[in-house]
Amino acid sequence: MSGKIGRNDPCWCGSGKKYKKCHEAFDEKLEQLRQKGFPVISHDLIKTPQQVQRIKESCKINIAILDYVAEHIGPGVSTEEINRWVHEQTVKHGGIPAPLGYDGFPKSVCTSINEVVCHGIPSEEEVLKEGDIINVDVSTIYQGYFSDSSRMFCIGKVSPEKEKLVQVVKECVEIGVSKVKPWTPIGNMGHAVHEHALENGYTVVQQIGGHGIGLEFHEDPWVSYVSSDNSGVLMVPGMMFTIEPMVNMGSDEIYTDENDGWTVRTADGKPSAQWEVTVLVTEDGCEVICY
Ligand code: MF3
Ligand code: CO
């Protein structure tokens, strides 16, 4: 991109400024690092301010939907009911539920209870009861722009063990967010997430990770939460991705339900929990744009 654009041409980011006064230095830095062998994502995945603004509109809807779920969820609610709420709220805000029909996924939201790690399919037969923990994973398409976040809910009074798991995964995400700094490798973030889970005696799912997002549901990079320090692509301003570790109380082994092809469970049947936020890398750190 930097080769094709004249220094006095308008910048690719849409600021209206001349390229030389806007992103020229940024592009040169990126290119130099790439040539030095640092892995960086494709330039097309770096969001322009206008794209950021539009993706944030999508995020606002996603947040409102999860706020709605938070207000209404409780014992006696079926996961199909949560699916209806999510569908209705999404449409009410002018959005489309991203999971519906994605790779054949049959519902508008993923609902993952207790030992279900992720991608649980809502069902009329599945009714929440006191003591359950559930992840509700909402993703929205709004005017072509994608957002994605998930939260845990404790149903009534849950055991201290489950409560701690839910709390620690939340901390893992917060620690991950604190490691998002421009021009540093994304592996530092995943490493910090993993450490915090391990310190608390938990494991982190290895096979399923996070992803870039914005113009597509799942963009590069694939994001690990068991990464080593100083590995992976460099985080650069304008990059967007999810922080969504799945933390298990027991072993990190998981399997996918053969009957529905979606539901992922822990192999040992012990609980798993996940929170998901989307971050935008900024000049001096990051902004959590979806939660
Ligand atoms: N937030 C989940 C993810 O990024 C949503 C999956 S939707 C599904 O993987 F349709 F793929 F289940
Ligand atoms: Co996601």
Side-chain angles (χ1 to χ4, degrees), residues 137 139 148-149 209-211 213 217-218 242 244 274 276:
D137 192 340
S139 319
D148 190 2
S149 59
H211 49 94
I213 181 159
F217 194 175
H218 298 117
T242 65
E244 50 173 321
Q274 174 183 34
E276 175 178 18

Side-chain angles (χ1 to χ4, degrees), residues 78-153:
S78 75
T79 48
E80 178 59 34
E81 217 167 325
I82 299 171
N83 179 62
R84 276 197 296 273
W85 298 340
V86 169
H87 194 96
E88 283 164 15
Q89 292 301 309
T90 307
V91 171
K92 190 184 117 185
H93 286 96
I96 300 167
L100 187 58
Y102 175 82
D103 250 352
F105 190 79
K107 300 285 174 173
S108 298
V109 62
C110 299
T111 49
S112 305
I113 303 175
N114 299 330
E115 79 287 358
V116 177
V117 173
C118 65
H119 301 165
I121 304 173
S123 146
E124 207 73 74
E125 273 90 72
E126 194 175 52
V127 178
L128 291 172
K129 55 183 189 319
E130 175 123 6
D132 284 340
I133 58 170
I134 179 175
N135 174 275
V136 179
D137 192 340
V138 176
S139 319
T140 302
I141 314 171
Y142 181 63
Q143 294 183 353
Y145 295 87
F146 290 78
S147 54
D148 190 2
S149 59
S150 78
R151 300 184 198 165
M152 291 300 296
F153 299 99

